[in-house]
Amino acid sequence: MTVTTPKGFLAAGVASGLRRSGRRDLALIQNMGPKSTFAAVTTANRFAAAPVVYTRKIAASGYAEAIVLNSANANACTGPQGDADTLSTAAKVGECLGISPEHVAVCSTGIIGRPMPMKPLLSGVELAARALSPDGGSDAAEAIMTTDTRPKNVAVNLGSYAIGGIAKGSGMLAPELATMLCVLTTDAVLDPREADEALTAAVNESFNRIDSDGCMSTNDTVVLMASGASGVKPNADEFVAALTRAAHDLAEQLVNDAEGASHVITVKVEEADSESGALAVARAISRSNLFKTAVYGNDPNWGRILSAAGTVGSDVAAYDPADIELFINDVCVSRAGVLASSPDKVDMSDRCIEVRLVLHSGPHAASLLTTDLTHEYVHENSAYSS
Amino acid sequence: MTVTTPKGFLAAGVASGLRRSGRRDLALIQNMGPKSTFAAVTTANRFAAAPVVYTRKIAASGYAEAIVLNSANANACTGPQGDADTLSTAAKVGECLGISPEHVAVCSTGIIGRPMPMKPLLSGVELAARALSPDGGSDAAEAIMTTDTRPKNVAVNLGSYAIGGIAKGSGMLAPELATMLCVLTTDAVLDPREADEALTAAVNESFNRIDSDGCMSTNDTVVLMASGASGVKPNADEFVAALTRAAHDLAEQLVNDAEGASHVITVKVEEADSESGALAVARAISRSNLFKTAVYGNDPNWGRILSAAGTVGSDVAAYDPADIELFINDVCVSRAGVLASSPDKVDMSDRCIEVRLVLHSGPHAASLLTTDLTHEYVHENSAYSS
């Protein structure tokens, strides 16, 4: 149930030596065709890393036969040397697999601002090329982990074709993606335009709806590779729905494994006058450190939720603050802007918390997944240099 | 050197019993005139507390002879009862001082969503009215403290007239103000329009330039009371500059006392194409939890600073990511988007840290004060219900 579940894909995950620990740190995935359709959605961060800038060009061509991903070093803020190193990496993959380097995508994650150690990386590519196998998906998922505590895999079987995927990411999860790499594969028959549209739609409803610490990274990349090996041309709507399901499953796995989180929080904003307004209010709540620390303390602090919601202007989300309802774990804690039930009735002991704010101003809704702000988050991010 | 330094003001700070600890919790400040000019800048939060909504009306009239401020209870998210309680409070002040309740402003800070305990509040007003004195400013500064560890006072002497002030605030510091109350006084002669313009300008360059945890509160209020007791009509520019100096001094005191901070960080963005763009970039850096935890760990993590800056779109701040310089405590850690000096050269041991990002794209600059994100912040905000 991984990136090699759909037909036409080989994968490997090896220890190149980028990590001194000897853990797997390099993943290679090859699309054996007959088609090599490729699409990517990448970070909006203006300090986009060298492999991101490079992979955007590959995606613009619509085709890639392989993708190589490394952890431990992000090759970000590395200037022209970073660009040259990315090209060398692609060239090495091309050489090992006997394909054009122009059909090789590259992703990196790890520490920012340090030159890529090319010697272990290039020998790792050789190792991975020899290790490619139809069962290598889960090794690849392991190789892209950074502070993740577990690998993330998914597969959706649609009978005549399948979708698979791997992802990594645990800190810096935020919309418009977040030190987050994801490779989705399918054996459906897609042309580049179809792949691009489906991927954009799926990312928008999945990875762009998680927000663990509001930080968008320099390296975020989600790609879709379509081999066409099933011979099945999918129904477009069905495919988008299935791809969204796979992406959403991986996004949930990311939030569940977010750095130092003790609660996973679903923030739902309902009956808003627009979806974008609902999303802005959900985002404001998801990013309130005061709210997130309260959840860590098992405190159903509804005042902090309303206070965070209230920072979004009426030009963005029109509603009457005196006509709202706020539920925490299905207990209505506030109605019409004042206390309803006692917050003492809210059981915060479960790992999953749901906040639901009903604005009574229209038919639109949006929801986000976030996490609490904990001592472990502070510890991990003050001690770990990335 | 406080709110009673300018001529024409009496103040008191008493223990009304709102706090079970017996600490001072109620402040009263009376403007003895001859003028009673009054201006206020209040929170943009849409769940503005009852006293905020009320005090906006007083400020619209341009006149107030007294202001009463309580800590312990914010009277926020308290609905029509909250409005009625605010009116009763103003009425009680009017009765005790023999003035019209329509010339009494009200501010509250403390826990959100609980009805105001009116019995101690009203008896506290009586107590405070009897305690009013020309030396009562520092008692008033103490009475408005919540999680502040020390009172905040200021005075600026301009020879022929003076400006004084008190403030409170320690968590939830953010622009557009932040559970932050501030009373500025002057014995200069100002009409309401002059007072309002000067206050707006001063707040914009002081309280709106601090951002400890990005959270904007329901109760933030800054007021200016002008007695005219000096008989001096000030030069407008000189007055705005002096008022800004007083407000900035108080803002710095607030950041220095921010909940659980171990570093105070100045974020300067220079050579930007617009002031608003510079401010947006400074804000993005100031709000990055990854950056703030790194500073807590004494890690001059320049990659996280660029990564945060890079989240601001080129429509907001136009610059070339390959043509920037980043200084931490005057060490140039990154130039042209890559490593310059080794971050090891940066001494992070001092409490004050300066981050300076030079965009090389225009003549504009902006700076913000923020704090690091620490275990103490998480502890204080997960344990303290506000």
Side-chain angles (χ1 to χ4, degrees):
Chain A
M1 301 302 277
T2 174
V3 81
T4 43
T5 299
K7 290 191 285 280
F9 293 93
L10 304 177
V14 300
S16 74
L18 283 171
R19 283 188 193 286
R20 288 193 211 105
S21 66
R23 248 178 59 183
R24 295 184 210 271
D25 52 23
L26 190 131
L28 184 62
I29 299 165
Q30 186 173 9
N31 179 351
M32 305 303 287
K35 287 190 163 283
S36 59
T37 302
F38 182 79
V41 175
T42 59
T43 183
N45 197 300
R46 287 162 76 188
F47 291 91
V52 170
V53 174
Y54 168 82
T55 293
R56 284 177 188 155
K57 288 181 202 151
I58 305 294
S61 81
Y63 298 98
E65 292 177 59
I67 185 166
V68 58
L69 312 93
N70 74 278
S71 50
N73 187 308
N75 196 9
C77 300
T78 45
Q81 185 59 49
D83 296 326
D85 290 344
T86 298
L87 286 174
S88 306
T89 305
K92 184 71 176 180
V93 172
E95 182 194 315
C96 291
L97 301 183
I99 60 177
S100 163
E102 283 159 32
H103 288 159
V104 179
V106 181
C107 292
S108 299
T109 179
I111 197 155
I112 295 177
R114 302 225 183 126
M116 181 67 81
M118 289 305 288
K119 210 175 150 195
L121 186 70
L122 295 181
S123 66
V125 168
E126 288 182 13
L127 208 62
R130 286 198 297 272
L132 281 172
S133 116
D135 303 317
S138 53
D139 286 354
E142 256 183 53
I144 60 174
M145 288 165 62
T146 54
T147 52
D148 304 64
T149 64
R150 47 186 182 270
K152 284 100 183 170
N153 291 280
V154 76
V156 176
N157 192 332
L158 290 120
S160 58
Y161 67 93
I163 294 171
I166 60 172
K168 68 76 45 181
S170 76
M172 295 172 76
L173 293 175
E176 316 305 331
L177 314 181
T179 307
M180 210 237 9
L181 300 181
C182 172
V183 178
L184 293 159
T185 55
T186 181
D187 49 15
V189 177
L190 298 172
D191 65 31
R193 190 186 48 78
E194 290 164 341
D196 186 58
E197 287 175 5
L199 185 62
T200 302
V203 166
N204 199 33
E205 296 295 323
S206 56
F207 298 112
N208 281 349
R209 297 296 173 94
I210 57 178
D211 195 333
S212 82
D213 68 2
C215 298
M216 174 172 68
S217 109
T218 51
N219 288 60
D220 309 320
T221 305
V222 181
V223 308
L224 172 62
M225 305 175 87
S227 70
S230 70
V232 175
K233 184 93 197 155
N235 169 279
D237 291 343
E238 180 195 79
F239 182 76
V240 168
L243 191 67
T244 302
R245 193 143 37 101
H248 196 266
D249 186 298
L250 288 171
E252 278 193 332
Q253 292 184 50
L254 295 182
V255 172
N256 270 300
D257 196 23
E259 276 172 5
S262 73
H263 287 94
V264 173
I265 310 163
T266 303
V267 179
K268 292 186 180 174
V269 176
E270 299 180 348
E271 298 188 27
D273 66 327
S274 70
E275 189 188 355
S276 60
L279 194 56
V281 173
R283 189 88 76 207
I285 296 168
S286 300
R287 290 194 174 172
S288 163
N289 281 351
L290 283 170
F291 161 63
K292 288 155 74 94
T293 45
V295 172
Y296 174 52
N298 286 333
D299 171 13
N301 197 313
W302 62 279
R304 291 184 186 178
I305 298 171
L306 293 187
S307 187
T311 62
V312 176
S314 54
D315 52 328
V316 177
Y319 66 89
D320 179 357
D323 183 27
I324 56 93
E325 282 176 300
L326 175 62
F327 298 82
I328 306 178
N329 287 352
D330 282 327
V331 177
C332 182
V333 289
S334 179
R335 182 171 285 128
V338 303
L339 181 69
S341 304
S342 164
D344 297 346
K345 291 187 186 157
V346 182
D347 180 2
M348 300 283 285
S349 62
D350 200 65
R351 183 171 166 84
C352 292
I353 301 292
E354 185 187 86
V355 168
R356 188 157 61 88
L357 181 61
V358 186
L359 300 180
H360 296 307
S361 59
H364 300 283
S367 78
L368 275 179
L369 275 178
T370 188
T371 55
D372 54 356
L373 177 57
T374 68
H375 282 301
E376 292 69 24
Y377 176 90
V378 173
H379 173 73
E380 204 160 329
N381 286 299
S382 57
Y384 168 81
S385 194
S386 70
Chain B
M1 301 300 278
T2 175
V3 81
T4 42
T5 299
K7 290 191 283 281
F9 293 93
L10 304 177
V14 300
S16 74
L18 282 171
R19 281 189 194 287
R20 286 193 211 104
S21 66
R23 249 178 59 185
R24 294 183 212 273
D25 52 23
L26 190 132
L28 184 62
I29 299 166
Q30 186 173 10
N31 180 350
M32 305 302 288
K35 287 189 163 286
S36 58
T37 303
F38 182 81
V41 175
T42 59
T43 183
N45 196 300
R46 288 161 75 188
F47 291 92
V52 171
V53 174
Y54 168 82
T55 293
R56 283 177 188 153
K57 288 181 202 152
I58 304 293
S61 81
Y63 298 98
E65 292 176 58
I67 186 166
V68 57
L69 311 93
N70 73 278
S71 51
N73 187 309
N75 196 9
C77 300
T78 44
Q81 185 61 48
D83 296 327
D85 289 344
T86 298
L87 286 174
S88 305
T89 306
K92 184 72 176 178
V93 172
E95 181 195 316
C96 292
L97 302 183
I99 60 176
S100 162
E102 281 159 33
H103 288 159
V104 179
V106 181
C107 292
S108 299
T109 179
I111 198 156
I112 294 176
R114 302 225 184 125
M116 180 67 82
M118 289 305 288
K119 210 175 151 196
L121 186 69
L122 296 181
S123 66
V125 169
E126 287 182 13
L127 208 61
R130 285 196 298 271
L132 281 172
S133 116
D135 302 317
S138 52
D139 286 354
E142 257 184 53
I144 60 175
M145 288 164 64
T146 54
T147 52
D148 304 63
T149 65
R150 46 184 183 271
K152 285 98 183 170
N153 291 280
V154 76
V156 177
N157 192 332
L158 290 121
S160 59
Y161 67 93
I163 293 170
I166 60 172
K168 68 78 43 181
S170 77
M172 296 171 77
L173 292 175
E176 316 304 333
L177 314 182
T179 305
M180 210 234 14
L181 301 181
C182 172
V183 179
L184 292 159
T185 55
T186 181
D187 49 16
V189 177
L190 297 173
D191 66 31
R193 189 186 48 78
E194 290 164 340
D196 186 58
E197 287 175 6
L199 184 63
T200 301
V203 167
N204 199 32
E205 295 296 322
S206 57
F207 297 112
N208 282 348
R209 295 297 173 93
I210 57 179
D211 195 333
S212 82
D213 68 3
C215 298
M216 174 172 67
S217 109
T218 50
N219 288 61
D220 309 321
T221 305
V222 181
V223 308
L224 172 62
M225 306 174 87
S227 69
S230 70
V232 174
K233 185 93 200 158
N235 170 279
D237 290 345
E238 182 196 78
F239 182 76
V240 167
L243 191 68
T244 302
R245 193 142 38 97
H248 196 266
D249 185 298
L250 289 171
E252 278 193 333
Q253 292 184 49
L254 295 183
V255 171
N256 269 300
D257 195 23
E259 276 171 6
S262 74
H263 287 93
V264 173
I265 310 162
T266 303
V267 179
K268 292 185 180 175
V269 176
E270 299 179 348
E271 299 188 25
D273 67 326
S274 70
E275 190 188 355
S276 60
L279 193 56
V281 173
R283 189 88 73 206
I285 296 169
S286 300
R287 290 194 175 172
S288 162
N289 281 352
L290 284 169
F291 161 63
K292 288 154 75 92
T293 44
V295 173
Y296 174 52
N298 286 334
D299 172 12
N301 197 312
W302 62 279
R304 290 184 185 176
I305 298 172
L306 292 187
S307 187
T311 61
V312 176
S314 54
D315 52 328
V316 177
Y319 65 89
D320 179 358
D323 183 26
I324 57 94
E325 283 176 299
L326 175 62
F327 299 82
I328 307 178
N329 286 352
D330 283 327
V331 176
C332 182
V333 289
S334 179
R335 181 172 284 127
V338 304
L339 182 68
S341 304
S342 165
D344 296 345
K345 290 186 186 157
V346 182
D347 180 2
M348 299 283 284
S349 61
D350 199 67
R351 182 171 167 85
C352 292
I353 302 293
E354 184 188 87
V355 168
R356 189 157 61 89
L357 181 62
V358 186
L359 300 181
H360 296 307
S361 59
H364 299 282
S367 78
L368 275 179
L369 276 178
T370 186
T371 56
D372 54 355
L373 177 57
T374 69
H375 282 300
E376 292 69 24
Y377 176 90
V378 173
H379 173 72
E380 205 160 329
N381 286 299
S382 58
Y384 168 82
S385 194
S386 68

